Amino acid sequence: MSESLVVPTMAEMLAEGKQPEVLFWVGCAGSFDDRAKKITKAFVRILNRTNVSFAVLGTEESCTGDPAKRAGNEFLFQMQAMMNIEVLNAYEAKKIVTACPHCFNTLKNEYPELGGNYEVIHHTEFLKSLIDDGRLTVEGGQFKGKKITFHDPCYLGRANKVYEAPRDLIQKLDVELVEMKRSKANGLCCGAGGAQMFKDAEPGNKEVNVLRTEDALEVKPDIIAAGCPFCNTMLTDGIKHEHKEGEVKVMDVAELIANAQDL
Amino acid sequence: MSYLDNILFAILLVVGFGFFAASVKKIIRNINLGVDVDRKDNPKARWKNMAMIALGQSKMVRRPVAGILHIFVYVGFIIINIELLEIIIDGLLGTHRIFAPYLGVVYDVLIASFEILAILVIFAVTVFWLRRNFIRLKRFIHSDLTGFPKSDANYILYFETVLMILFLLMNASDLHLQNVPGGVFHKAGSFPISQFIAPIFNGMSNELVVILFETFWWLHIVGILIFMNYLYFSKHLHILLAFPNTYFANLKPEGQFDNLASVTNEVKLMMDPNADPFAAAPPADENAAPAKFGASDVQDLNWVQLLNAYTCTECGRCTSSCPANQTGKKLSPRKIMMDTRDRLTEVGKNIDANKGVFVPDNKSLLNDYITPEELWACTSCNACVEECPVNISPLSIIMDMRRYLVMEQSAAPMSLNAMMTNIENNGAPWQYSQQDRLNWKNEN
Ligand code: SF4
Ligand code: SF4
């Protein structure tokens, strides 16, 4: 844990006349949210350990515009998109990896029409490809035998049909992967999407994240795995609401892999 | 049958189909009130969707009980229509079972399968009725399904039952008349179900049974014509519209929301330092979509969204899977679709009443039907879209209306305005400086 992270920026790479294999799109949550920063670092530790050549945009990165678009502000979204596309195209970015399904969806699906064409992959897909290529090997480590359930982020699962990569990764850890009663295409939202993260919920009789946490707790997991910084926050809050912080942890798939390897 | 019968029958057909054609025309006109959107690309994938989802009912069976029962009713409906063809020809020509001599054994098999389907339909419809009225599945007793929509669902179930019973009674009396000594009717068909009904005619005079047969026959065909014309007012329009609706459904990933082209032009102009603000003014085109961002009324939606509204079967699968609805929020995606249809019908009536032009009625889909509270409760999770057995997207309407609220009315909730200001100023939804974006690298 103590070894410091190597995080080159695209600008630094360019100065050295190099083009990284992938551009790591960190995202707003991954850059600023204390919980999500841990996910970012876990992912970087894996990248460092496997010698993947990558770079971040650093201060040149800006919000993809996802929350603005889902809130209905198409202007703001397209301005963000065009600014980002300008930067990405200037660096001739080809392959982008991100740990945020919202960034993933927007970059992958909504940027092309505005002039941004990249191969965009979610970090769980990327980690899976590292394993498939033999560049990363994973063993259970501290998670061996633990009961883990995976919460499908809407913008990764239903929105883009990525269901298997995160599950394949979890299974590599010699754990017991249990499915909630609603999973994959039938999964239930964590409650954060569509810009809900940034506002109070409308009146109702329950919070969505609490309902989803109940789904997860029903299968009595040791760990709830997620692949989205927003889901992570929502489920962590849900666990606190149920006073289960002592028993159940919410972890990103990247954290599971990094911690299993004692990175 | 006398010629009077044949003429009467022909008139009935013309009136029945005439009214139906008028309804269809109205539906098409109303759908065309929507903004244009291109859904003609990739015909291969579109045909496949239609074959799998509408014809193959692939999304219905995700809820197996309803799915399988629905398939009975659906196959029954389609197949019994073949029988209808014979009824129409017989009615016009005054013949009786005109296909029988030509089809031979095939005819027996056909009639037998119609009968079995008829009984399966009665069974399925009974279970449906029990689910709606006794078991009271949550999605059927939901607050957005009261009044006409609730009765509508039941009317159709009664209607189908009566039609099937008439069909079986018709066959049973026919069979009886085929078997009486001397055979009033010629032998044709095989009757695995109605053979058990036929004995009720024993002891009646042949004349009476003939009258009964004709009564069943007439009621059956009249019933079908009424049913056909009732569709226009009913959620049962889906039996027709499910096909075009699945054909024209969105093929893109569910998470991909459309980019408003009108906005793209303006943003490009704003961002391009060399742009000449005068040169880029779009040519004045009378038919161009009005420069309104997002949707506040049905005319602002695109025609696929309006087709969706007519196609919605009000099954409530979307609502029952909606996280906002499950946690007691006001949002119900089914209600979004029903409201859109109700408003569209209202606009259509307005146009009819005013010689083909819409006279503003101080009402709109937004506020009069759908409230901002409903719209803001949506997490854009796509569960409703995934669930819908006929590929309707309530979410796309919700998003277009949010766009109107935000871009035309600046009426977003305060917290969202704060989030958007942050993005504008700092490139992040929170109040952090863009210069700090890489700080995590050196933090512990
Ligand atoms: S997309 Fe919106 S309306 Fe549809 S299920 Fe999700 S929250 Fe409900
Ligand atoms: S939108 Fe689809 S799922 Fe919802 S009620 Fe209508 S038909 Fe059913």
Side-chain angles (χ1 to χ4, degrees), chain B residues 347-367:
Chain B
V347 168
K349 278 190 187 147
N350 179 316
I351 294 176
D352 290 335
N354 295 297
K355 304 194 183 66
V357 281
F358 177 70
V359 176
D361 57 357
N362 283 323
K363 274 180 158 186
S364 66
L365 181 60
L366 182 66
N367 296 325

Side-chain angles (χ1 to χ4, degrees), chain B residues 264-286:
Chain B
T264 312
N265 295 337
E266 296 208 15
V267 171
K268 276 201 175 128
L269 214 62
M270 268 158 51
M271 295 196 39
D272 181 359
N274 305 319
D276 174 354
F278 301 104
D285 177 357
E286 301 227 318

Side-chain angles (χ1 to χ4, degrees), chain B residues 69-335:
Chain B
L69 293 174
H70 185 267
I71 287 180
F72 289 161
V73 179
Y74 158 75
V75 176
F77 167 76
I78 298 220
I79 298 205
I80 287 172
N81 272 320
I82 304 175
E83 166 81 13
L84 200 61
L85 192 67
E86 185 181 48
I87 292 186
I88 289 177
I89 297 177
D90 278 348
L92 288 173
L93 303 182
T95 47
H96 184 70
R97 295 196 181 269
I98 189 166
F99 290 165
Y102 304 105
L103 296 177
V105 183
V106 177
Y107 190 81
D108 292 352
V109 174
L110 276 178
I111 297 293
S113 58
F114 298 160
E115 291 221 327
I116 289 167
L117 274 168
I119 205 76
L120 285 176
V121 169
I122 292 175
F123 168 71
V125 163
T126 311
V127 179
F128 282 153
W129 186 80
L130 289 171
R131 276 159 55 99
R132 269 184 196 269
N133 300 288
F134 276 95
I135 303 174
R136 294 166 67 80
L137 288 192
K138 204 169 157 224
R139 65 191 157 107
F140 297 136
I141 54 168
H142 194 266
S143 60
D144 57 346
L145 202 67
T146 49
F148 175 73
K150 192 177 164 73
S151 335
D152 176 30
N154 278 326
Y155 293 158
I156 289 286
L157 297 179
Y158 301 142
F159 226 109
E160 273 162 4
T161 312
V162 171
L163 284 179
M164 290 305 112
I165 290 175
L166 283 169
F167 175 73
L168 290 174
L169 284 173
M170 187 181 87
N171 278 352
S173 51
D174 191 326
L175 177 64
H176 175 88
L177 292 167
Q178 288 179 26
N179 287 336
V180 288
V184 179
F185 285 169
H186 59 80
K187 287 227 184 261
S190 158
F191 304 92
I193 307 294
S194 59
Q195 59 175 321
F196 297 108
I197 307 174
I200 61 171
F201 301 107
N202 290 348
M204 293 184 197
S205 74
N206 286 353
E207 291 73 31
L208 178 61
V209 182
V210 170
I211 290 173
L212 283 175
F213 167 79
E214 295 203 334
T215 311
F216 299 143
W217 188 96
W218 276 98
L219 286 176
H220 182 237
I221 183 75
V222 170
I224 286 173
L225 289 175
I226 293 175
F227 183 88
M228 190 171 84
N229 279 293
Y230 177 70
L231 291 184
Y232 176 62
F233 305 96
S234 161
K235 73 184 188 103
H236 280 75
L237 207 45
H238 77 268
I239 63 179
L240 303 173
L241 294 187
F243 295 88
N245 195 74
T246 46
Y247 183 88
F248 293 117
N250 181 31
L251 293 176
K252 294 180 182 155
E254 283 168 25
Q256 176 178 350
F257 294 5
D258 61 335
N259 289 319
L260 279 189
S262 48
V263 171
T264 312
N265 295 337
E266 296 208 15
V267 171
K268 276 201 175 128
L269 214 62
M270 268 158 51
M271 295 196 39
D272 181 359
N274 305 319
D276 174 354
F278 301 104
D285 177 357
E286 301 227 318
N287 300 321
K292 182 170 171 185
F293 299 116
S296 63
D297 211 343
V298 284
Q299 295 98 322
D300 309 325
L301 296 170
N302 68 48
W303 64 269
V304 173
Q305 290 168 320
L306 301 183
L307 171 64
N308 280 180
Y310 273 122
T311 310
C312 174
T313 73
E314 297 168 17
C315 67
R317 292 182 180 210
C318 52
T319 294
S320 79
S321 66
C322 171
N325 192 274
Q326 283 176 45
T327 50
K329 283 121 193 137
K330 255 196 185 156
L331 174 63
S332 157
R334 166 170 63 187
K335 179 176 169 291

Side-chain angles (χ1 to χ4, degrees), chain A residues 37 41 59 61 63 69-70 74 78-79 105 110 155 158 182 186 193-194 196 199 202 205-206, chain B residues 62 255 257-260 264 270 326-327 329 376 378-381 402-403 415 427 434 437 443:
Chain A
K37 281 193 265 189
K41 285 191 241 179
T59 55
E61 190 186 285
C63 177
K69 187 175 183 96
R70 315 291 136 187
E74 185 71 10
Q78 291 200 12
M79 287 204 306
N105 176 68
E110 289 163 359
Y155 274 86
R158 261 194 306 269
R182 326 181 228 214
N186 294 323
Q196 296 294 337
K199 62 184 262 299
E202 276 55 40
N205 49 38
K206 198 183 251 183
Chain B
R62 282 179 39 177
F257 294 5
D258 61 335
N259 289 319
L260 279 189
T264 312
M270 268 158 51
Q326 283 176 45
T327 50
K329 283 121 193 137
W376 289 118
C378 172
T379 71
S380 76
C381 71
R402 275 190 183 182
R403 285 171 170 174
S415 47
Q434 186 152 358
R437 245 187 134 88
E443 289 167 7

Side-chain angles (χ1 to χ4, degrees), chain A residues 1 5 7 9 12 24 26-34 37 40-41 44 56 58-63 65 67-80 82-83 86 105 109-111 113-114 154-155 158-161 163 182 185-189 191-208 211 230, chain B residues 62 252-268 270-271 293 320-330 372-387 395 399 402-404 406-407 412-413 415-416 419-421 423-430 432-444:
Chain A
M1 282 272 213
L5 302 172
V7 190
T9 61
E12 289 162 7
F24 172 31
V26 184
C28 299
S31 304
F32 292 122
D33 179 86
D34 284 335
K37 281 193 265 189
T40 307
K41 285 191 241 179
V44 168
V56 298
T59 55
E60 289 184 275
E61 190 186 285
S62 186
C63 177
K69 187 175 183 96
R70 315 291 136 187
N73 195 336
E74 185 71 10
F75 268 107
L76 183 52
F77 164 73
Q78 291 200 12
M79 287 204 306
Q80 288 299 119
M82 287 195 200
M83 272 170 4
E86 224 164 79
N105 176 68
N109 296 323
E110 289 163 359
Y111 276 32
E113 256 178 47
L114 301 170
C154 302
Y155 274 86
R158 261 194 306 269
N160 288 291
K161 308 283 176 261
Y163 298 118
R182 326 181 228 214
N186 294 323
L188 184 79
C189 181
Q196 296 294 337
M197 183 78 185
F198 305 101
K199 62 184 262 299
D200 290 326
E202 276 55 40
N205 49 38
K206 198 183 251 183
E207 298 295 331
V208 175
L211 182 63
F230 295 100
Chain B
R62 282 179 39 177
K252 294 180 182 155
E254 283 168 25
Q256 176 178 350
F257 294 5
D258 61 335
N259 289 319
L260 279 189
S262 48
V263 171
T264 312
N265 295 337
E266 296 208 15
V267 171
K268 276 201 175 128
M270 268 158 51
M271 295 196 39
F293 299 116
S320 79
S321 66
C322 171
N325 192 274
Q326 283 176 45
T327 50
K329 283 121 193 137
K330 255 196 185 156
E373 180 180 339
E374 292 163 72
L375 297 172
W376 289 118
C378 172
T379 71
S380 76
C381 71
N382 264 304
C384 53
V385 182
E386 184 79 36
E387 257 318 300
L395 174 57
M399 282 312 305
R402 275 190 183 182
R403 285 171 170 174
Y404 180 84
V406 171
M407 289 191 286
S415 47
L416 286 188
M419 175 272 285
M420 293 189 281
T421 311
I423 293 182
E424 227 175 305
N425 297 337
N426 323 319
W430 301 284
Y432 294 105
S433 159
Q434 186 152 358
Q435 289 316 307
D436 294 336
R437 245 187 134 88
L438 199 49
N439 288 1
W440 57 266
K441 177 179 151 181
N442 304 313
E443 289 167 7
N444 266 315

Side-chain angles (χ1 to χ4, degrees), chain A residues 142-148 174-177 222-223:
Chain A
Q142 50 169 297
F143 300 113
K144 221 177 213 144
K146 288 251 168 19
K147 208 173 184 185
I148 299 185
D174 293 328
V175 298
E176 186 194 346
L177 177 65
D222 300 307
I223 295 164

